[in-house]
Amino acid sequence: MAGSLCMSEGTVKSHLSRLLTKLDVANRVHIAMIVHDANQS
């Protein structure tokens, strides 16, 4: 993922960690479910 976004792996991990914290979820699957549900509205 990092390569396709032209970012370092550490930057991607940092952004992911912040998302997990802000959304108060345990993993990336939960983020995907939130995004999916938001697109259904």
Side-chain angles (χ1 to χ4, degrees):
M1 183 187 301
S4 65
L5 295 173
C6 298
M7 295 181 180
S8 72
E9 186 177 328
T11 300
V12 173
K13 286 181 179 182
S14 177
H15 287 307
L16 180 58
S17 176
R18 283 191 213 123
L19 272 174
L20 292 169
T21 300
K22 286 185 179 197
L23 295 174
D24 193 28
V25 295
N27 57 48
R28 291 177 284 180
V29 174
H30 287 134
I31 293 173
M33 290 169 53
I34 290 169
V35 171
H36 179 268
D37 291 347
N39 287 331
Q40 296 296 320
S41 302

